Amino acid sequence: MFDLFLDIFSCRDNAWTRMDARVKLIIALAAIIFILLSSRTALPLVFFVFCTGAMLGLGMPPRLVLARLAGPLGIVFVLVALMAFTQGSTVLHSVRFGGFELLLREEGLLKGMLAGSRVLGAVSVILLLGSVTPAHKIFASLRWGRVPDGWVEIALLMYRYIFCLLEHTAEAVEAQKVRLGYAGARRSLSSVGTLAGIVVLRSLDQARQTHDAMMVRGYRGCLTFGPLPRLGRKDLATIFLAMLVIAVTWAALEWRVII
């Protein structure tokens, strides 16, 4: 669980990490916009394959990459299944489940595959961005991009205290295991409910302690970020070239649909 949020790979020295965080953020946002605008599964899947290959090329363990993609893959599976069985009129196959008959429809299946590919493409872009950019640089870039201060501060505090809550959760789980809290399905279900309550209470306690600590240190409604230098010509050229490649790829794939 700790490895899912670990950003140790973003601290390595390579061409990806040396790039300005603002450049990477702008390129990532442009990629996500074109993924959402795509009317075919080709472009999202291209980004998915590229970003997954880039993460593996950076030395990330395949098991960690798969673990980070497990949640989005589950969402895609549910999304495709729901749309395939609820939308459209052309029946491809029927499945009887108890007293019900489920109809697999072509239009819904195609729409679900498109939506699922968009989810995978956009998520893979975000995962690659987080793998090559430290979190504090992303937050500073968001502030530079005129994102509301409150949003940036909430995101910063959430990222900071995720690890504290994970540590509290791990300690509570170990204490439950020592007391045989997971011996049997009924006791396991009860322990999970108790664990959820413990995490919520500790998050509230941590929020109160953090607020008091920030007020003591002079917090007056806005965290201070240092100024960022202007983007150089090399950075601007990188943004322009990357966006041009993305736009040309999107236009080429969409042109096939028009033809």
Side-chain angles (χ1 to χ4, degrees):
M1 183 62 69
F2 281 92
D3 292 340
L4 291 177
F5 301 97
L6 195 61
D7 63 348
I8 188 174
F9 300 99
S10 64
C11 299
R12 295 182 176 179
D13 184 25
N14 52 58
W16 291 85
T17 56
R18 286 194 296 268
M19 189 183 302
D20 193 291
R22 293 168 291 178
V23 175
K24 291 180 282 189
L25 184 61
I26 294 173
I27 295 175
L29 291 176
I32 292 174
I33 291 174
F34 278 102
I35 287 173
L36 296 178
L37 292 176
S38 61
S39 60
R40 304 180 70 226
T41 60
L43 182 66
L45 292 180
V46 166
F47 275 104
F48 174 70
V49 173
F50 172 78
C51 294
T52 303
M55 287 186 286
L56 294 174
L58 291 172
M60 296 180 61
R63 183 178 180 182
L64 177 59
V65 176
L66 182 60
R68 291 184 174 182
L69 290 173
L73 287 173
I75 295 174
V76 169
F77 176 78
V78 174
L79 182 64
V80 173
L82 288 176
M83 298 185 72
F85 286 105
T86 58
Q87 297 185 13
S89 58
T90 305
V91 178
L92 296 176
H93 187 68
S94 61
V95 179
R96 288 192 174 277
F97 184 76
F100 300 93
E101 184 180 11
L102 299 178
L103 301 178
L104 180 64
R105 298 175 170 88
E106 181 181 1
E107 295 84 357
L109 180 61
L110 295 177
K111 290 181 181 179
M113 292 176 62
L114 176 60
S117 66
R118 289 173 176 172
V119 172
L120 290 179
V123 168
S124 62
V125 171
I126 295 299
L127 289 178
L128 178 60
L129 175 64
S131 300
V132 297
T133 312
H136 68 278
K137 291 186 178 181
I138 294 179
F139 297 139
S141 300
L142 292 174
R143 175 67 69 85
W144 171 83
R146 299 296 187 270
V147 175
D149 297 343
W151 293 10
V152 177
E153 293 175 9
I154 290 174
L156 191 151
L157 292 173
M158 287 176 60
Y159 183 81
R160 165 64 181 87
Y161 288 104
I162 279 176
F163 301 98
C164 294
L165 292 178
L166 285 176
E167 185 175 356
H168 292 322
T169 304
E171 293 175 353
V173 170
E174 292 299 325
Q176 289 177 332
K177 287 181 178 180
V178 170
R179 294 167 175 81
L180 302 180
Y182 295 93
R186 179 176 296 182
R187 298 190 66 178
S188 298
L189 184 60
S190 176
S191 297
V192 170
T194 304
L195 179 63
I198 292 174
V199 173
V200 171
L201 291 176
R202 290 194 175 180
S203 65
L204 295 176
D205 292 338
Q206 185 65 64
R208 184 165 48 252
Q209 294 173 9
T210 302
H211 176 265
D212 294 341
M214 293 173 64
M215 295 302 294
V216 169
R217 289 167 175 80
Y219 178 75
R220 293 298 180 267
C222 181
L223 294 177
T224 302
F225 282 76
L228 295 177
R230 297 181 60 183
L231 293 175
R233 292 184 178 180
K234 183 178 180 181
D235 297 326
L236 296 176
T238 302
I239 295 174
F240 175 77
L241 181 61
M243 295 184 69
L244 180 63
V245 171
I246 295 173
V248 170
T249 304
W250 174 83
L253 296 175
E254 293 297 314
W255 180 254
R256 291 183 59 185
V257 177
I258 298 176
I259 294 178

